[in-house]
Amino acid sequence: MTVVVIGSVMSVLDMTIVNVALRRLSESFSAPLETIQWTATAYTLALAAIIPTAAWAMARIGAKRVYLTALTLFTLGSLLAACAWDAGSLIAFRAVQGLGGGLLMPVGMTMVMRIADRERLGRAMALLGLPILVGPVAGPVLGGWLIDSVSWHWIFLVNLPVGALALILAARLLPRDTPGSRTAATPPRLDLPGLLTLSPGLALLLYGLARGGERGDFGAPGALLPTLAGAVLAAAFVRRALTVREPLLDLRLLRDRTFAAGIATLALFTCGYFGSMLLGPLYWQQERGVSATAAGLLGAPVGLAVGTTMQIAARRIDKVSPRRLIPVGIAVGALGMALVGLQVGEAGVPGWRVVAAATVMGVGVGMVLMPTMTTATRDLPADRLAAASTALSINSQLAASVGTAVLSVVLGSAGTDPSGFRLTYAIAASLLSLAILPALRLPARRRS
């Protein structure tokens, strides 16, 4: 748990720090902001390309070796990014970081789920959620301070001591594991056709959605063509995965009613929540005229609410009915999101009311994310946990990208004025509310 939490904190901090630093990077490299934004896009695309290989890699060489490889790639990518000499080299080195970051979460989650007592899985998942408490609160503040007081190089160099510590602890503390459930004489084969459809399919989907969101037009060729190509490749993978004996990712997991209900709940909830994350900074900076660092500080109470509530709710899910806890969390989250929309749509509203409404939303989010993941995976057999954590990671990335793209287009069409923000927040609240439907199919009681 210590190793996995340190690795996850490093990854989450990096993402939040870099998002704060984009404008300064644009100035330092004398490159347009549209070009520098590729530092985030390249990371996401590399993430999407590598995540589907996580389950196969763990079965092939063991989770510990894969995790050490992921830590090495991420730390090396951080060092290279700090030494970047132009925008192109920075984008390339961020992709190296993305290859490591894409494996950290699914592999770390698999190791935790394998070693944790199933009756206390919620407690273990609560600890796994600690980076969600630390990252959104500390990342923007630390990033702003490093940019303003030192230099942009340090937003990447700060990862080196953390990465080195995580590597040393991982090598010494992580238990040795045997690759998969096979013998060394029969290593799992790589589903190459599956890899060649799912990895580029996800990357193209995420790229097309991102371009459509940036331009406010999904019909533009630069957004529509990659989105369609990605959807075709993803559909081809689904067809193959349901027919071949050893697919890259076992989609037969969805035949488990609890796992399918959990995936659907998380997809809708993640779509609304993570999609709405672009709205807060835009509102504070454009409508209220505050700095990027101040906008990050105003978002800190939400991060604290999410992380603190998650620690309580994830432990409670070991004892209470998922069908009672999780839908209540969805309702609280949707109510908070709707209240934010009402506040930002009102001229001259005090800032504390917006923050208070967003904090209510954060309480609901903390009641949903980790408890739903725990419920979805608790009763799966051990040999399917790697595929389950990989599927959850893909689901999270894709749903967040869909939500960000949709809400970007809505905001662009409605306009970045109070009424536009109100409409966009209302749609985000509706997406959260829809998650109640699959959540009601979760177990009515804890299964022993």
Side-chain angles (χ1 to χ4, degrees):
M1 287 300 306
T2 301
V3 172
V4 172
V5 167
I6 290 174
S8 298
V9 165
M10 179 176 65
S11 175
V12 174
L13 274 177
D14 180 80
M15 285 189 286
T16 52
I17 287 174
V18 171
N19 287 340
V20 171
L22 291 178
R23 189 167 298 278
R24 181 62 60 87
L25 290 170
S26 174
E27 297 170 358
S28 299
F29 288 112
S30 301
L33 187 59
E34 292 77 11
T35 301
I36 292 298
Q37 283 175 337
W38 270 94
T39 58
T41 304
Y43 183 92
T44 302
L45 296 184
L47 207 76
I50 199 68
I51 285 176
T53 68
W56 170 81
M58 283 185 275
R60 179 79 183 191
I61 65 174
K64 178 176 181 177
R65 290 179 181 175
V66 178
Y67 200 75
L68 286 169
T69 302
L71 286 173
T72 301
L73 280 172
F74 192 90
T75 308
L76 176 62
S78 299
L79 175 60
L80 293 173
C83 299
W85 54 89
D86 59 17
S89 62
L90 179 62
I91 291 168
F93 298 146
R94 282 284 288 165
V96 175
Q97 271 190 302
L99 294 175
L103 292 172
L104 285 175
M105 180 54 75
V107 179
M109 186 184 298
T110 300
M111 292 190 295
V112 170
M113 290 190 297
R114 282 177 176 172
I115 205 167
D117 177 1
R118 292 301 180 92
E119 292 300 310
R120 294 185 294 173
L121 182 59
R123 180 177 297 183
M125 295 294 275
L127 293 173
L128 191 62
L130 282 174
I132 299 176
L133 172 60
V134 176
V137 177
V141 179
L142 178 60
W145 179 76
L146 289 173
I147 285 292
D148 294 336
S149 303
V150 195
S151 73
W152 68 265
H153 301 83
W154 280 93
I155 65 173
F156 301 110
L157 290 175
V158 72
N159 293 326
L160 301 187
V162 183
L165 175 63
L167 276 167
I168 293 169
L169 293 178
R172 293 178 61 87
L173 300 181
L174 287 182
R176 296 187 178 215
D177 58 334
T178 54
S181 58
R182 300 163 176 257
T183 65
T186 58
R189 293 179 300 174
L190 176 63
D191 176 19
L192 188 58
L195 179 63
L196 294 177
T197 51
L198 183 57
S199 287
L202 284 175
L204 285 168
L205 263 176
L206 296 184
Y207 174 75
L209 290 169
R211 296 294 287 174
E214 290 170 5
R215 299 182 179 185
D217 181 11
F218 287 119
L224 181 61
L225 293 179
T227 302
L228 290 177
V232 168
L233 287 172
F237 170 78
V238 170
R239 181 181 179 187
R240 175 178 174 80
L242 295 175
T243 55
V244 299
R245 185 175 179 180
E246 295 182 338
L248 181 70
L249 181 63
D250 187 6
L251 296 182
R252 298 180 184 90
L253 278 168
L254 296 174
R255 293 175 182 170
D256 183 285
R257 175 176 171 175
T258 301
F259 185 76
I263 279 278
T265 301
L266 289 168
L268 290 166
F269 197 83
T270 301
C271 187
Y273 172 58
F274 286 101
S276 72
M277 282 189 168
L278 68 101
L279 301 176
L282 282 175
Y283 169 76
W284 289 115
Q285 292 179 68
Q286 294 189 14
E287 290 297 310
R288 297 296 186 109
V290 306
S291 66
T293 303
L297 287 170
L298 287 166
V302 183
L304 286 170
V306 172
T308 304
T309 307
M310 185 182 294
Q311 296 304 305
I312 300 170
R315 286 169 168 80
R316 291 295 299 161
I317 204 67
D318 285 337
K319 301 177 181 179
V320 303
S321 163
R323 198 183 293 178
R324 291 176 59 188
L325 176 65
I326 294 170
V328 170
I330 293 171
V332 172
L335 173 64
M337 187 78 77
L339 289 174
V340 174
L342 289 174
Q343 303 302 321
V344 300
E346 185 179 329
V349 65
W352 68 265
R353 284 170 51 182
V354 179
V355 174
T359 303
V360 172
M361 175 193 68
V363 171
V365 172
M367 295 173 66
V368 174
L369 294 182
M370 282 302 180
T372 305
M373 289 187 186
T374 304
T375 302
T377 57
R378 189 192 301 273
D379 297 301
L380 293 176
D383 61 353
R384 308 190 84 180
L385 292 178
S389 62
T390 303
L392 286 170
S393 296
I394 292 173
N395 183 60
S396 175
Q397 288 293 324
L398 193 56
S401 296
V402 170
T404 301
V406 168
L407 295 182
S408 294
V409 171
V410 171
L411 185 63
S413 302
T416 53
D417 54 20
S419 61
F421 279 107
R422 171 178 285 182
L423 174 63
T424 310
Y425 271 112
I427 291 175
S430 300
L431 289 170
L432 296 188
S433 300
L434 288 174
I436 289 180
L437 299 177
L440 292 175
R441 297 180 64 84
L442 293 169
R445 63 187 65 183
R446 265 288 331 274
R447 288 185 288 177
S448 62

